[in-house]
Amino acid sequence: MSSVTGQESSNAPPVVEMRGIVKRFNQTVALNGVDLTVKRGEVHAIVGENGAGKSTLMHILAGLIHPDRGQIALNGQPVTISSVESAYAHGIAMVHQHFMLLSSLSVAENLTLGKEPTRRGLFDRIAAAQAVINLGQRYNLVVNHAAKVADLSVGDLQRLEILRALYRGAEILILDEPTGVLTPQEAQGLFRVIRELKRDGKTTIFISHKLEEVLEISDSITVLRDGHVTGTLVTSQTTAPEIARMMVGREVFLKFDKPQITPGKPVLECVELCGPGVQQATFQVRANEIVGIAGVAGNGQSELADLIAGLLPSTAGTVKICGQDVTQASVSARRITGFANVPEDRYKHGLAAQGSVSDNLLMGVHDKPPLSRHGLLDLKAIANRAVELIKSFSIKTEKPASRASTLSGGNAQRIVIARELADNKPFILVAQPTRGIDIAASEFVREEILKRRNDGAGVLLISADLSEVISLSDRILVMYDGRIIGELPAAEADETRLGLLMAGIREETTNASKTA
Amino acid sequence: MLQKPLNPGLRTFITQTLVLLILAAFALLIGAIAVAIAGKSPVTAFQELLQGALGTRTNIAASITRSIPIIINGVAATIAFKAGLFNLGLEGQMVIGALTGAVFANAFKDLPPFLLLPLTILAAATAGGAWALPPAWWQVRFKVPLLVTTLLLNYIANYFASYLVNFPLRDLSGGAAVPQTVMIPEAIRFGIILEGTRLHAGVFAIILLPILVTWFFSRTSLGYRIRMSGLNPDFAQYGGIHTSRMVLIAMFGSGAVAGIAGVIQVLGVDFRYIDGTLVTPAFAWSGFIAAILASSNPLLIIGTGLFLAALKVGAAGMQRNTQIPLQIADVVQAGIIFMVAIRLRIGEFVKRLLFPN
Ligand SMILES: Nc1ncnc2c1ncn2[C@@H]1O[C@H](COP(=O)(O)OP(=O)(O)OP(=O)(O)O)[C@@H](O)[C@H]1O
Ligand SMILES: [Mg+2]
């Protein structure tokens, strides 16, 4: 285990020094004596499994929660960070795993909230807009200042959160799984911003489950496991397997085998399906088959998923699930035909954060015997199922009755995956299955999806992670501008071929003129 | 590394109890200040208040009697809360329910009592529920905020009911000055269950309804669907729940229970619908507050409702004996609401004071 050794500024005190931090939530010890040292101007990554305590540690630094024990020093000065305000006063700002913006306000209003520019005592709209534009230009973070937050894409939301932090004068920027919700392209954009910040002498603390990203962007790394620090590393002197070993405590294999199976009957048939953002999608998913959808985010994948799920109305075409025409059917009718759905936006569609873990695990099967008969819930059967799912998907929670909001980000995601992969449904729609989930658990989730396919389910997989699509799928469809513009057997797919298709360049035109 | 100074569960319990006590103390302090400003002795005021609320058997019974409409309204508010809705129209729904009940009982007075009583309650519940439906529909269909429409419909309900008992439905026989309907048949009036007091059989509803509603939300699929729609409508929809339907059902249920609160007053206290008797004492509002204080746990509403009722009854006694205006009770009630609003802050403060590090 290598340790961080002082480089150029060895005698300057570290910008952040946390010592012996302990934090307990009821029975859970989230942090058990954690030390963290971050040097001025560096990009410091924090990695660890779901529930290791990463967000909790950062919440303490950002003043959201108070440690039960431990000291914090900034630039060598001991400090007490009693609130978010006091963290701001010390130049610390955090961009959360789940955004915390007021969606009815405009970008400019959100940006300046808490430190509004005023003119004669009133909110100064023009100055606020100017602030967005100025900061945006300086750091290459362009967001339309007049837009309503409710209308922004996730990437925009994140840029806004970062702008907000910078506007408040942040010197230390904490990014909690910022790339989890971004496309690979957007992630590269974020990294450019981080490098820009670094040039400005600002410090970034970065949480991620994607080790390639950690290796790419960070200078040093702190590894957490179960509330303990299991390693502090200099990025240039380590490798992904070494980090993974420290995180998990064993070797992680990112390979699995996929037996060849002849696909069975179609479980999903879309014919000329049209709707908002989707044009004439025609394809099938058969039993014993995983069909991946690749595409740059925003090319209609999310809408296609919503059309299939019945969350968006289609304008033309048909959808059949397990042979039944469900084009006009309600969501519940679709679910009854045997359809599972892991939605892309887990916190919006996949969970009720204020509901219990058990409530969350019941959704979609709340009218299904034996869990529910004649409108009456069988609490015993429901509890048994919950306990079983919590166990088989290793959801880290104190008890089934705990609120979902008390779970770590990745564990909350596992609730959704566990619920939807349970009960042997014949057709499974999964969007971004491993988003926010640590490496070991991602491996498990992929295996689980594969197992469902081997057991006879048909799976439609939408993922921004190309390597995930390639390794899991039997066939890959590529979406561009709302259309399915190509199909490849997974065996013939590689990142370059897919990349071209995803950019809207069709096979037959690649050799001729590239005018697409 | 970790020594355990105190079991964390115990720690939370101590903190919470202390917070509640501090809350009560603060609210009473606000009341005391108000009394002092009015130039009276706070000590006498509170002695009289306590005496008025719980001093004698009669007073205790009066407090419990008073709590009946408050608790039932609290339960009604909770049903809407669970669906994520603020039903500010409890008052109108209660008035419509009560009037419908009174009219129904008189119209079918020849029915045998064992049929007439449940049908009267059913009619009141249906009317109260129906009165709550238009705002639900407007919200679902046209996105008009229910919070506003329910509140506005109170005025319409009150004036409409007032018109009806002033003119077409007015009891002209006794020559009474008060606009009221004729009395309901004696056979269906609730009996007094504690001799020498006015505590009537309607009191069983304050135990029955909270239990029923608790059961409904924890044990039925419909209860689950309503709760999930309240917690996250997007999630509920994704899971196949018709959230619009849940809004309609929850509002109907909430209005129906408010209607029951109204008809129980008719059956147990007034024996007829009397203009203004349900509105003036602000039963609906107190019920709403009882529900908020109880964090919309129906069983806790029994406690908070009794507390608020005792406060009101006690204040009335205090006014009789000391000339301190009974509005002091409203001041204390407002103080409590204020305290609840900042409860979380106190909790954090107390915890850090008690257990630094
Ligand atoms: N408010 C809370 N109440 C109870 N337990 C909590 C609360 N917040 C966090 N925890 C628990 O503390 C532990 C650490 O959670 P934390 O959110 O810090 O994990 P994390 O490392 O960020 O994980 P992830 O990668 O899944 O986001 C978890 O077991 C979690 O359940
Ligand atoms: Mg986290």
Side-chain angles (χ1 to χ4, degrees):
Chain A
M1 187 187 309
S2 41
S3 73
V4 182
T5 45
Q7 292 151 356
E8 61 282 347
S9 56
S10 53
N11 38 14
V15 63
V16 174
E17 184 155 36
M18 300 175 87
R19 283 282 160 267
I21 303 290
V22 174
K23 179 68 197 179
R24 216 186 306 198
F25 297 102
N26 305 320
Q27 265 57 259
T28 315
V29 183
L31 298 172
N32 198 353
V34 169
D35 296 343
L36 174 72
T37 306
V38 181
K39 282 180 295 177
R40 171 166 295 282
E42 74 168 347
V43 177
H44 192 100
I46 297 182
V47 297
E49 295 186 282
N50 295 133
K54 305 179 294 297
S55 298
T56 305
L57 186 65
M58 289 303 106
H59 286 162
I60 288 171
L61 187 57
L64 275 148
I65 54 178
H66 305 283
D68 297 335
R69 219 180 279 253
Q71 290 87 40
I72 304 175
L74 299 176
N75 298 311
Q77 298 298 313
V79 293
T80 325
I81 303 175
S82 56
S83 64
V84 178
E85 285 312 309
S86 97
Y88 267 132
H90 286 112
I92 301 170
M94 177 159 180
V95 175
H96 294 274
Q97 207 164 352
H98 325 296
F99 302 127
M100 298 183 172
L101 294 163
L102 300 176
S103 54
S104 59
L105 298 182
S106 78
V107 165
E109 285 161 340
N110 257 293
L111 178 80
T112 53
L113 194 73
K115 195 178 154 194
E116 303 85 356
T118 51
R119 217 160 67 100
R120 294 194 218 101
L122 296 174
F123 180 65
D124 187 345
R125 265 167 221 293
I126 299 168
Q130 200 54 51
V132 179
I133 296 167
N134 289 347
L135 267 178
Q137 275 174 353
R138 177 137 156 244
Y139 294 106
N140 239 320
L141 282 158
V142 188
V143 188
N144 175 6
H145 59 83
K148 284 262 176 293
V149 163
D151 304 331
L152 295 183
S153 71
V154 248
D156 280 339
L157 283 175
Q158 188 173 75
R159 282 186 280 278
L160 174 55
E161 285 269 20
I162 297 173
L163 277 176
R164 197 167 124 76
L166 295 173
Y167 178 77
R168 303 288 298 263
E171 283 300 316
I172 302 164
L173 190 66
I174 304 168
L175 304 173
D176 193 352
E177 290 187 40
T179 56
V181 293
L182 300 183
T183 63
Q185 293 79 359
E186 282 177 314
Q188 284 308 320
L190 175 68
F191 292 164
R192 277 193 292 278
V193 173
I194 293 177
R195 289 189 192 105
E196 198 66 44
L197 291 169
K198 190 171 163 181
R199 258 194 291 282
D200 256 22
K202 297 191 192 292
T203 309
T204 306
I205 304 179
F206 174 87
I207 299 178
S208 176
H209 289 294
K210 298 178 190 157
L211 298 185
E212 328 80 85
E213 292 179 356
V214 168
L215 291 172
E216 176 178 349
I217 194 72
S218 73
D219 300 306
S220 52
I221 304 169
T222 295
V223 187
L224 288 183
R225 171 153 36 110
D226 264 338
H228 295 273
V229 175
T230 51
T232 50
L233 302 161
V234 175
T235 309
S236 55
Q237 293 163 19
T238 188
T239 58
E242 186 185 13
I243 305 171
R245 203 172 334 108
M246 286 182 172
M247 279 169 65
V248 187
R250 64 171 168 89
E251 296 292 337
V252 182
F253 305 99
L254 298 166
K255 275 252 169 285
F256 42 75
D257 42 38
K258 194 168 66 184
Q260 281 296 325
I261 304 183
T262 324
K265 280 204 290 251
V267 290
L268 173 76
E269 295 157 88
C270 292
V271 180
E272 302 273 302
L273 185 63
C274 299
V278 176
Q279 291 169 48
Q280 298 170 331
T282 301
F283 66 98
Q284 285 190 347
V285 177
R286 289 164 296 177
N288 296 108
E289 171 179 63
I290 299 177
V291 176
I293 294 195
V296 178
N299 276 286
Q301 302 93 314
S302 315
E303 290 82 357
L304 179 64
D306 285 350
L307 283 171
I308 294 169
L311 291 166
L312 272 180
S314 60
T315 50
T318 56
V319 187
K320 280 189 190 172
I321 294 177
C322 300
Q324 279 189 47
D325 190 332
V326 294
T327 317
Q328 303 299 330
S330 66
V331 178
S332 58
R334 287 172 205 232
R335 282 201 173 255
I336 289 166
T337 59
F339 153 62
N341 181 5
V342 176
E344 173 179 30
D345 189 339
R346 311 268 209 273
Y347 280 84
K348 186 163 190 276
H349 291 117
L351 289 165
Q354 296 308 312
S356 67
V357 172
S358 155
D359 278 345
N360 275 289
L361 285 170
L362 184 62
M363 182 55 79
V365 287
H366 52 271
D367 276 327
K368 249 185 144 173
L371 303 174
S372 161
R373 286 180 212 275
H374 315 297
L376 293 184
L377 302 177
D378 183 340
L379 296 191
K380 190 130 207 179
I382 291 169
N384 288 342
R385 176 171 172 275
V387 168
E388 197 178 296
L389 289 177
I390 288 170
K391 195 158 144 250
S392 58
F393 284 80
S394 333
I395 301 171
K396 199 173 159 193
T397 175
E398 231 162 62
K399 47 187 188 296
S402 299
R403 285 187 181 194
S405 61
T406 65
L407 269 63
S408 81
N411 281 293
Q413 313 257 19
R414 292 183 197 194
I415 296 180
V416 186
I417 311 260
R419 176 184 68 216
E420 299 301 324
L421 292 186
D423 306 325
N424 291 324
K425 287 155 204 140
F427 169 51
I428 306 171
L429 171 61
V430 262
Q432 322 296 351
T434 55
R435 173 177 284 177
I437 292 185
D438 66 48
I439 22 180
S442 295
E443 176 190 32
F444 172 73
V445 166
R446 292 188 187 124
E447 267 166 12
E448 208 58 27
I449 293 174
L450 207 60
K451 209 191 285 169
R452 297 287 301 108
R453 165 239 192 214
N454 298 345
D455 291 347
V459 179
L460 182 63
L461 168 74
I462 299 175
S463 175
D465 182 344
L466 260 192
S467 59
E468 180 168 272
V469 173
I470 294 172
S471 64
L472 271 178
S473 308
D474 296 297
R475 282 188 295 137
I476 299 172
L477 306 174
V478 180
M479 273 192 94
Y480 178 76
D481 200 18
R483 291 173 188 278
I484 291 173
I485 63 159
E487 179 184 331
L488 290 173
E492 291 168 29
D494 55 47
E495 305 221 358
T496 14
R497 269 184 92 177
L498 281 175
L500 280 173
L501 275 170
M502 284 164 61
I505 302 160
R506 288 176 197 251
E507 295 277 276
E508 57 273 18
T509 56
T510 43
N511 301 326
S513 66
K514 291 187 181 178
T515 47
Chain B
M1 171 106 255
L2 260 177
Q3 326 132 1
K4 285 195 181 169
L6 242 181
N7 172 315
L10 191 63
R11 211 153 125 164
T12 318
F13 179 75
I14 295 174
T15 308
Q16 275 177 351
T17 316
L18 212 71
V19 167
L20 275 177
L21 289 177
I22 292 176
L23 254 172
F26 261 117
L28 290 179
L29 188 70
I30 292 173
I33 292 171
V35 172
I37 290 173
K40 309 282 160 112
S41 150
V43 178
T44 331
F46 282 118
Q47 273 168 355
E48 289 296 333
L49 191 125
L50 208 62
Q51 173 69 21
L54 308 166
T56 64
R57 199 173 85 111
T58 324
N59 293 2
I60 294 176
S63 293
I64 299 176
T65 312
R66 175 73 168 237
S67 77
I68 298 170
I70 295 177
I71 292 170
I72 302 177
N73 269 301
V75 172
T78 298
I79 296 173
F81 282 156
K82 293 276 185 193
L85 306 167
F86 273 83
N87 179 5
L88 292 180
L90 295 171
E91 189 166 283
Q93 293 142 21
M94 175 173 57
V95 163
I96 295 292
L99 182 59
T100 307
V103 170
F104 183 93
N106 284 325
F108 296 95
K109 58 170 173 282
D110 298 329
L111 283 177
F114 72 89
L115 266 182
L116 184 56
L117 180 61
L119 286 178
T120 301
I121 296 175
L122 190 68
T126 312
W131 191 256
L133 279 181
W137 169 246
W138 294 329
Q139 164 150 325
V140 165
R141 185 73 183 76
F142 308 109
K143 301 210 157 61
V144 189
L146 185 141
L147 185 86
V148 178
T149 49
T150 49
L151 189 63
L152 292 179
L153 276 186
N154 284 340
Y155 296 98
I156 300 180
N158 293 347
Y159 287 122
F160 180 58
S162 190
Y163 160 78
L164 288 178
V165 286
N166 265 291
F167 302 103
L169 298 174
R170 186 164 188 161
D171 175 17
L172 299 168
S173 58
V178 202
Q180 55 191 19
T181 64
V182 291
M183 291 185 91
I184 56 167
E186 212 154 324
I188 63 163
R189 296 180 197 169
F190 284 154
I192 298 293
I193 60 161
L194 201 65
E195 215 164 316
T197 72
R198 302 190 60 197
L199 186 60
H200 56 84
V203 73
F204 295 115
I206 70 172
I207 298 166
L208 221 61
L209 280 172
I211 292 177
L212 197 70
V213 169
T214 306
W215 174 85
F216 173 77
F217 280 113
S218 60
R219 298 297 175 92
T220 68
S221 156
L222 183 60
Y224 173 81
R225 286 172 357 230
I226 293 176
R227 276 195 299 124
M228 291 304 121
S229 307
L231 290 177
N232 179 357
D234 288 318
F235 173 52
Q237 246 158 14
Y238 144 93
I241 293 169
H242 298 270
T243 47
S244 310
R245 217 179 278 170
M246 294 306 123
V247 170
L248 294 171
I249 292 173
M251 278 306 283
F252 184 87
S254 179
V257 172
I260 291 174
V263 80
I264 283 180
Q265 290 303 99
V266 170
L267 290 166
V269 178
D270 302 323
F271 308 133
R272 55 178 18 144
Y273 181 84
I274 310 173
D275 196 16
T277 45
L278 298 178
V279 179
T280 321
F283 292 138
W285 182 234
S286 296
F288 202 84
I289 293 163
I292 291 179
L293 276 179
S295 324
S296 50
N297 174 342
L299 295 174
L300 281 183
I301 292 174
I302 302 176
T304 55
L306 277 168
F307 173 72
L308 292 179
L311 191 65
K312 294 261 170 142
V313 171
M318 175 188 74
Q319 169 165 291
R320 270 196 307 279
N321 295 339
T322 63
Q323 273 77 50
I324 297 170
L326 62 84
Q327 277 75 15
I328 289 299
D330 295 330
V331 173
V332 175
Q333 189 172 304
I336 293 172
I337 299 171
F338 179 68
M339 287 301 150
V340 169
I342 61 171
R343 171 158 60 183
L344 293 171
R345 295 251 161 177
I346 306 181
E348 199 47 49
F349 178 74
V350 169
K351 201 165 176 180
R352 262 197 287 161
L353 210 68
L354 280 181
F355 313 104
N357 270 328

